[in-house]
Amino acid sequence: MIRHCTVLGAGSFGTALAVQLARRGHTVRLWDRNASRCASMNQDRRNPRYLKDIELPEGLVATPDLAAACRGSEMVVVSVPSHAVRDVVSAARDHIAVGTQICCASKGIEAGSLDTMHEVLSEVLGLAHQPQVTILSGPTFALELAQGMPTTIVAAGEDPATHAVAEAFHGGGLRVYHTHDVIGVCLGGALKNVVAIACGISDGLGIGLNARAGIITRGLAEIRRLAETLGAEPITMMGLAGMGDLVLTCTGNLSRNRRVGLALGEGRTLQDILDELGEVAEGVKTARTAHELARLHDVEMPITEQVHQVIYEGQSARDALAELMGRARKHDQH
Amino acid sequence: MIRHCTVLGAGSFGTALAVQLARRGHTVRLWDRNASRCASMNQDRRNPRYLKDIELPEGLVATPDLAAACRGSEMVVVSVPSHAVRDVVSAARDHIAVGTQICCASKGIEAGSLDTMHEVLSEVLGLAHQPQVTILSGPTFALELAQGMPTTIVAAGEDPATHAVAEAFHGGGLRVYHTHDVIGVCLGGALKNVVAIACGISDGLGIGLNARAGIITRGLAEIRRLAETLGAEPITMMGLAGMGDLVLTCTGNLSRNRRVGLALGEGRTLQDILDELGEVAEGVKTARTAHELARLHDVEMPITEQVHQVIYEGQSARDALAELMGRARKHDQH
């Protein structure tokens, strides 16, 4: 039974997960590298940057001290931007005891190595920790989770780790499902952000709901093709970390990635958009890494290809759409 | 090559399909049982009841004469409410030559027999026609299709019939995919209407986007369980007739089924809702037939079960939600 938890990263999702764990009766240390923000959280019982209306429960303490955050913890939840996972976990490693559950909520593919988050964690933490590495993913807007609204999520890893993690989070408004398909859950969570940008572009162009549903479906088909090539089970793409997360990200206005696409569809430049957003939109980086993975493994990913073209090659949104609509007829299961 | 087509049923979707076929250069006879409505369509070049802003192309002629509508046709598209398919096709049968493509766009499960639309058509038309029976399904709001906005759809049947049908429709804004999984496409199109009601209920209760994404995902999981039991391929549920149609119906406000759910979630009675709607909401009937199929084949369908409870057993929407949230933790692939 897990009692003492750590959450690394006080972004909106990290904060929501910490709040959920504290509400389930665990003690939670929430790490953020910014000391004054931590002090403010501990004093005002609010995160000054994210989910500002959510009161932080009593059992939650924020700290900028990584060692203190991890020491004695029975479950360390990683919720920093995907590009920071390697550095943060490397710095935390010596303070995490073998046997501690390691739960990753960051979604992305590492630039350069093209590693999934599970691969990054396994590499950094080493063999002794590997059976305890679990991936947490699914259709979860942080604000709704923090508000206690009904939410479903999936924990992917080996038994009994997934069950320990699932039990720790499950309850209140949150239902935690479990699966063994780690690679499928990792890739679903990462690649959907690129399709979300495509849906945003489509909505920005104002081409309707049929088009959006088509992009979501054919987007999932290409995610499945790549994921299957890399060892995932196709059925996982039908689950919470696949279509569940994809649907939420592609249809909810709260999603950062979708907002990037919307602005691109309206003809604005990427730099302008990112400046205004002021936050990480994982899909912008994943458009590049997914594109590289598709090339490397010779997998056809036309939607990802067009998003890559629009973001990095100066293709117009209209031309990208025309490319997609002009392709030859295909089998539905292709 | 198909040149002469017939569409049976001038509802919104039948009209949109007829318009698409006419725009692709085919001659189209659009059958509606109401003679004055046909006269009005032929004179004003508008359907007076549905898609009123869409001009009917020149090659499209409306007729209330079923025999005249079908005679000499190379493709008969059935687009009447699912409960009327048996009667209409029985009446048309003697006027449809063997070798004619029969394409069904109606979505539902027949009350009593619990037959899919493909089974109904095969039974009514007989063995000689069976290789030509194709099912058309996917994420297609009629209005957007008629407006020429980008739309994807799937034709399910045997080769070469599916390719003939796909070629006849494909082009302009419409991309037609194809598949051999007839039962999967039939069941996806029918069962998603029940999940759309569940999503409407959830939105009517105001419980957020995470909840809706969860219902869509777990709804698809239970559709897959039933469809697989009845011989469908699970991967079809990831395609246009599965998740594609499900996502569109569950997130687009245009859907009749979703609107029924919304009103139920707001506490209104079914009779009141149906009176106001004045149109067929297939999901209301499918909630009953799907519930019967699930019982018959001993398949767990908790969302369908709760929709059935709310519509037919007087269960409150809040209690239905509590039932769903209170279930034991499950495997994501269950």
Side-chain angles (χ1 to χ4, degrees):
Chain A
M1 253 276 288
I2 291 169
R3 289 153 306 170
H4 304 298
C5 309
T6 303
V7 177
L8 303 182
S12 55
F13 197 48
T15 304
L17 290 173
V19 166
Q20 168 71 11
L21 288 169
R23 287 192 188 138
R24 300 314 297 154
H26 309 292
T27 68
V28 182
R29 277 163 288 175
L30 176 59
W31 173 81
D32 187 288
R33 64 173 85 242
N34 183 307
S36 74
R37 220 174 292 149
C38 289
S40 157
M41 283 194 264
N42 291 332
Q43 198 181 323
D44 307 336
R45 309 312 300 160
R46 294 271 190 280
N47 182 328
R49 283 187 81 189
Y50 300 105
L51 312 179
K52 291 176 196 168
D53 293 335
I54 301 297
E55 190 177 337
L56 304 179
E58 258 195 28
L60 190 161
V61 177
T63 173
D65 180 340
L66 197 55
C70 294
R71 210 172 296 127
S73 180
E74 290 155 313
M75 178 169 75
V76 174
V77 180
V78 180
S79 187
V80 296
S82 67
H83 65 260
V85 166
R86 187 177 290 271
D87 283 353
V88 168
V89 177
S90 296
R93 178 176 46 196
D94 292 344
H95 313 292
I96 301 174
V98 169
T100 304
Q101 305 298 339
I102 315 288
C103 179
C104 183
S106 307
K107 295 170 182 176
I109 294 163
E110 196 181 42
S113 71
L114 301 182
D115 281 344
T116 64
M117 291 300 107
H118 189 265
E119 287 165 331
V120 171
L121 286 178
S122 301
E123 206 179 304
V124 171
L125 291 168
L127 262 185
H129 283 281
Q130 205 173 317
Q132 268 76 48
V133 176
T134 299
I135 305 294
L136 208 59
S137 194
T140 52
F141 281 141
L143 178 61
E144 294 189 357
L145 173 59
Q147 288 171 331
M149 296 179 95
T151 299
T152 51
I153 200 167
V154 60
E158 295 180 25
D159 287 348
T162 45
H163 289 290
V165 167
E167 281 298 328
F169 280 104
H170 188 84
L174 186 65
R175 281 183 64 76
V176 187
Y177 290 74
H178 58 92
T179 182
H180 53 277
D181 186 3
V182 169
I183 178 87
V185 167
C186 278
L187 289 173
L191 298 171
K192 57 97 194 178
N193 285 325
V194 184
V195 181
I197 293 178
C199 282
I201 291 175
S202 146
D203 286 348
L205 287 171
I207 56 171
L209 296 167
N210 290 356
R212 185 170 79 178
I215 291 171
I216 292 174
T217 310
R218 298 307 302 169
L220 191 69
E222 67 182 57
I223 289 175
R224 169 176 57 77
R225 287 199 293 271
L226 179 61
E228 230 179 321
T229 304
L230 297 173
E233 295 173 33
I235 206 168
T236 299
M237 295 308 138
M238 225 181 290
L240 293 167
M243 76 158 278
D245 201 1
L246 182 66
V247 166
L248 182 69
T249 313
C250 290
T251 63
N253 276 316
L254 302 174
S255 151
R256 291 191 280 257
N257 295 290
R258 195 174 117 75
R259 276 154 58 197
V260 168
L262 271 169
L264 286 169
E266 288 159 1
R268 294 175 52 201
T269 69
L270 182 67
Q271 198 48 56
D272 182 30
I273 297 162
L274 293 182
D275 285 349
E276 187 186 295
L277 207 60
E279 294 181 77
V280 177
E282 289 280 3
V284 172
K285 294 173 292 166
T286 311
R288 197 193 290 273
T289 49
H291 181 252
E292 287 174 21
L293 274 175
R295 290 258 162 129
L296 192 65
H297 297 280
D298 200 20
V299 174
E300 211 182 345
M301 298 186 78
I303 294 172
T304 301
E305 170 70 31
Q306 289 306 318
V307 171
H308 185 266
Q309 289 277 339
V310 171
I311 294 182
Y312 295 110
E313 310 279 349
Q315 165 98 302
S316 80
R318 284 257 160 235
D319 289 350
L321 175 71
E323 283 281 341
L324 290 173
M325 290 303 291
R327 286 162 49 83
R329 292 198 295 106
K330 304 278 176 190
H331 196 287
D332 183 53
Q333 296 182 359
H334 169 69
Chain B
M1 254 274 290
I2 291 169
R3 291 153 304 171
H4 305 298
C5 310
T6 304
V7 176
L8 304 181
S12 55
F13 197 47
T15 304
L17 290 173
V19 166
Q20 168 71 11
L21 287 169
R23 287 193 189 138
R24 300 312 300 152
H26 309 291
T27 68
V28 182
R29 277 163 288 176
L30 176 58
W31 173 80
D32 187 289
R33 65 172 84 244
N34 184 307
S36 75
R37 221 173 290 149
C38 290
S40 157
M41 283 193 265
N42 291 332
Q43 197 182 321
D44 307 335
R45 309 313 298 161
R46 295 272 190 278
N47 183 328
R49 283 187 83 190
Y50 300 104
L51 312 179
K52 292 175 196 168
D53 294 335
I54 302 296
E55 190 177 337
L56 304 179
E58 259 195 27
L60 189 161
V61 176
T63 173
D65 180 339
L66 197 54
C70 294
R71 209 172 296 127
S73 180
E74 290 154 314
M75 177 168 76
V76 175
V77 180
V78 181
S79 188
V80 296
S82 67
H83 64 260
V85 167
R86 186 178 292 271
D87 282 353
V88 169
V89 177
S90 296
R93 177 177 48 196
D94 292 344
H95 313 290
I96 302 174
V98 170
T100 305
Q101 304 299 340
I102 314 289
C103 179
C104 182
S106 307
K107 296 170 182 176
I109 294 164
E110 195 181 44
S113 72
L114 301 183
D115 281 344
T116 64
M117 291 299 107
H118 189 266
E119 288 165 331
V120 170
L121 286 178
S122 301
E123 205 180 306
V124 170
L125 292 166
L127 261 183
H129 283 280
Q130 205 172 317
Q132 270 73 48
V133 177
T134 299
I135 305 295
L136 208 58
S137 193
T140 52
F141 281 142
L143 178 61
E144 294 189 359
L145 173 59
Q147 287 170 332
M149 296 179 96
T151 299
T152 51
I153 199 166
V154 60
E158 294 180 27
D159 287 348
T162 46
H163 290 289
V165 168
E167 279 301 325
F169 280 104
H170 187 84
L174 186 64
R175 281 183 64 74
V176 187
Y177 291 73
H178 58 93
T179 183
H180 52 277
D181 186 4
V182 169
I183 178 87
V185 168
C186 278
L187 289 173
L191 298 171
K192 58 96 194 178
N193 285 325
V194 184
V195 180
I197 294 178
C199 282
I201 292 175
S202 148
D203 287 347
L205 288 171
I207 56 171
L209 296 166
N210 290 356
R212 186 171 79 179
I215 290 171
I216 292 173
T217 310
R218 298 307 302 169
L220 191 69
E222 68 181 58
I223 289 174
R224 170 176 56 78
R225 286 199 294 272
L226 179 61
E228 230 181 319
T229 304
L230 296 173
E233 295 172 34
I235 206 168
T236 298
M237 296 307 138
M238 226 181 290
L240 293 166
M243 76 159 279
D245 200 2
L246 182 66
V247 165
L248 183 69
T249 313
C250 290
T251 64
N253 276 316
L254 302 174
S255 150
R256 292 192 278 258
N257 296 290
R258 194 175 117 76
R259 277 155 57 198
V260 168
L262 270 171
L264 286 170
E266 288 160 1
R268 294 174 52 200
T269 69
L270 181 68
Q271 199 47 56
D272 181 30
I273 298 162
L274 293 181
D275 285 350
E276 187 185 295
L277 207 60
E279 292 181 81
V280 177
E282 289 280 3
V284 172
K285 293 172 293 165
T286 311
R288 196 193 290 272
T289 50
H291 181 252
E292 286 174 22
L293 274 175
R295 290 257 163 128
L296 192 64
H297 297 279
D298 199 19
V299 174
E300 212 182 343
M301 298 187 79
I303 294 171
T304 302
E305 169 71 31
Q306 290 306 318
V307 172
H308 185 266
Q309 288 277 338
V310 170
I311 294 181
Y312 295 110
E313 309 279 349
Q315 166 97 305
S316 80
R318 283 258 160 234
D319 288 350
L321 174 71
E323 283 280 340
L324 290 173
M325 290 301 292
R327 285 163 49 83
R329 291 199 295 107
K330 304 278 175 189
H331 196 287
D332 183 52
Q333 296 182 358
H334 169 69

